[in-house]
Amino acid sequence: MRRRHGPAQRAVSAREPSVTAEGPFPVVGTKCHHGSKSGDAVRAPRDDHKEPLAMTLQAARKPADSSKALYGGKGTRRITVHDIAAAKERGEKWPMLTAYDAMTASVFDEAGIPVMLVGDSMGNTHLGYDTTVPVTMDEMTLLSAAVVRGTQRALVVGDLPFGSYQEGPVQALRNATRLVKEAGVGAVKLEGGERSLPQTELLVEAGIPVMSHLGLTPQSVNTMGYRVQGRSDEAAHRLLRDAKAAQEAGAFAVVLELVPAELAAEVTRSLHIPTIGIGAGPGTDAQVLVWTDMAGLTGGRVPRFTKQYADLRRALGDAAKAFADDVVGGAFPQEEHTFH
Ligand SMILES: Nc1nc(=O)c2c([nH]1)NC[C@@H]1CN(c3ccc(C(=O)N[C@@H](CCC(=O)O)C(=O)O)cc3)CN21
Ligand SMILES: CC(C)C(=O)C(=O)O
Ligand SMILES: [Mg+2]
């Protein structure tokens, strides 16, 4: 355990941002725990106060690390939406994973994952619901705050859950503001094209970066099911139109879920903001997976677009059985685990 999870860390509010930054982590670079938009996060604290002003300015203007790559680069400060835009210009591909708790998020942060999505898929993976539909703002806020506390570098994006933005732009702004102020996320994501444009515009105008989500939008499972989207010519045109409109409204990225690879590639070529695919083929700028699917922890059926990079479900089950066998057989605890 590298993080302290004492009571002092539980309460996060805009009024006491410092409580999110404490803990035994070595401080590398400058931490920015409240959003990613702050240009002031770029300047590292100086301990050499004898340095002349001219030199200070020169140092501040010095080009950043030669390797700016979102994944594999040398940067240690919090990733911003500007870094995401620059990656598209460089033609760089990048990975995104979901995260729902501080400890797992710290593992992905140390692995260099540049963007983490606190997905409403937490409904399925962590809260035991059948769909994402029941997930609440309270649940999103709690888990998003944990992911922000567990990361130093990743841009943390909070999903706006079903019912938290459908009423209109004002409701969307109220709830997105809550995720920014109480959880400290750097951006929010909302599902839908045309129907979510007024929300996107108002949020961006208010200073909250927005990630759009098109194609299969799981919050609409009760009307659309979990089917590949954009197969007909009409649906394909609508998706392309929606993506361009989201970009026009100010979105900094677009998730494309379960759409034909050819269409996702065309959307990617047509936009100057990055596309993030999930079940959308290899032609998108980025790829996202639900982390429990990626690591083989999810039980039961997983979507066909998932690739399993580990078998955590087996590893964890084996560990639990080994512990249980030791307890029942008297092999644990031993002398080294015992106090006298
Ligand atoms: N664990 C998990 N992984 C996810 O990817 C995920 C969630 N939960 N919860 C929220 C949504 C729901 N998602 C889903 C759910 C089901 C399918 C699915 O059954 N897809 C079919 C394709 C059907 C077709 O061919 O049209 C598949 O076989 O993969 C896809 C995405 C993606 N998201
Ligand atoms: C699958 C991603 C894009 C998502 O919206 C989620 O995890 O909730
Ligand atoms: Mg989601």
Side-chain angles (χ1 to χ4, degrees):
M1 276 279 289
R2 302 186 57 197
R3 302 286 290 174
R4 213 171 350 111
H5 291 281
Q9 290 216 330
R10 235 178 285 128
V12 182
S13 84
R15 258 160 274 112
E16 23 176 9
S18 62
V19 296
T20 67
E22 304 307 317
F25 262 141
V27 178
V28 283
T30 307
K31 304 212 260 180
C32 172
H33 284 262
H34 273 260
S36 57
K37 300 172 296 300
S38 38
D40 57 14
V42 178
R43 198 175 306 157
R46 305 192 151 271
D47 47 23
D48 183 2
H49 40 266
K50 291 190 290 285
E51 206 175 346
L53 178 63
M55 264 185 69
T56 310
L57 291 174
Q58 198 178 26
R61 280 198 212 104
K62 203 171 55 184
D65 298 320
S66 55
S67 176
K68 294 177 179 175
L70 285 183
Y71 176 72
K74 293 180 189 146
T76 51
R77 63 157 171 76
R78 188 74 77 172
I79 303 280
T80 72
V81 294
H82 303 292
D83 300 319
I84 305 289
K88 173 104 184 188
E89 273 179 28
R90 294 193 296 267
E92 195 183 306
K93 290 192 175 193
W94 48 274
M96 177 163 103
L97 281 174
T98 65
Y100 314 98
D101 69 282
M103 206 180 296
T104 310
S106 76
V107 172
F108 298 155
D109 205 47
E110 286 167 18
I113 300 297
V115 186
M116 272 178 239
L117 172 70
V118 188
D120 59 353
S121 49
M122 69 171 65
N124 302 89
T125 61
H126 284 57
L127 302 177
Y129 301 132
D130 286 338
T131 71
T132 61
V133 171
V135 174
T136 67
M137 271 304 298
D138 282 351
E139 290 162 344
M140 277 302 316
T141 305
L142 185 76
L143 273 56
S144 298
V147 170
V148 171
R149 286 192 290 265
T151 54
Q152 297 187 12
R153 178 171 181 266
L155 170 65
V156 178
V157 182
D159 238 352
L160 284 175
F162 180 66
S164 74
Y165 61 96
Q166 281 82 353
E167 284 175 28
V170 173
Q171 187 203 23
L173 181 57
R174 182 168 63 246
N175 286 311
T177 299
R178 192 171 164 209
L179 280 183
V180 170
K181 292 186 74 155
E182 293 180 36
V185 302
V188 302
K189 178 165 80 57
L190 47 80
E191 297 182 2
E194 190 96 57
R195 64 186 159 96
S196 300
L197 290 181
Q199 284 88 331
T200 301
E201 279 172 6
L202 186 63
L203 265 54
V204 172
E205 199 178 321
I208 301 174
V210 172
M211 180 180 284
S212 165
H213 182 157
L214 304 173
L216 171 68
T217 49
Q219 292 175 13
S220 306
V221 57
N222 291 322
T223 51
M224 66 164 40
Y226 292 128
R227 282 188 304 273
V228 175
Q229 301 295 303
R231 277 209 199 275
S232 71
D233 278 1
E234 196 216 320
H237 280 119
R238 192 166 57 238
L239 188 92
L240 185 56
R241 210 171 53 233
D242 280 348
K244 286 179 176 167
Q247 168 177 278
E248 199 55 37
F252 75 94
V254 183
V255 168
L256 300 175
E257 179 164 353
L258 215 59
V259 302
E262 297 73 20
L263 176 59
E266 189 188 349
V267 172
T268 303
R269 284 191 299 271
S270 307
L271 299 187
H272 59 73
I273 59 174
T275 58
I276 306 163
I278 175 165
T284 54
D285 297 296
Q287 296 287 334
V288 59
L289 285 177
V290 166
W291 90 256
T292 53
D293 299 346
M294 178 280 297
L297 183 58
T298 306
R301 228 182 117 268
V302 292
R304 183 163 76 84
F305 54 65
T306 286
K307 182 173 175 184
Q308 229 176 276
Y309 289 86
D311 195 353
L312 287 201
R313 198 170 180 85
R314 172 172 300 185
L316 210 48
D318 286 351
K321 281 184 205 153
F323 165 69
D325 289 344
D326 275 5
V327 169
V328 171
F332 177 84
Q334 290 171 335
E335 190 53 31
E336 67 204 277
H337 311 114
T338 304
F339 303 89
H340 298 284

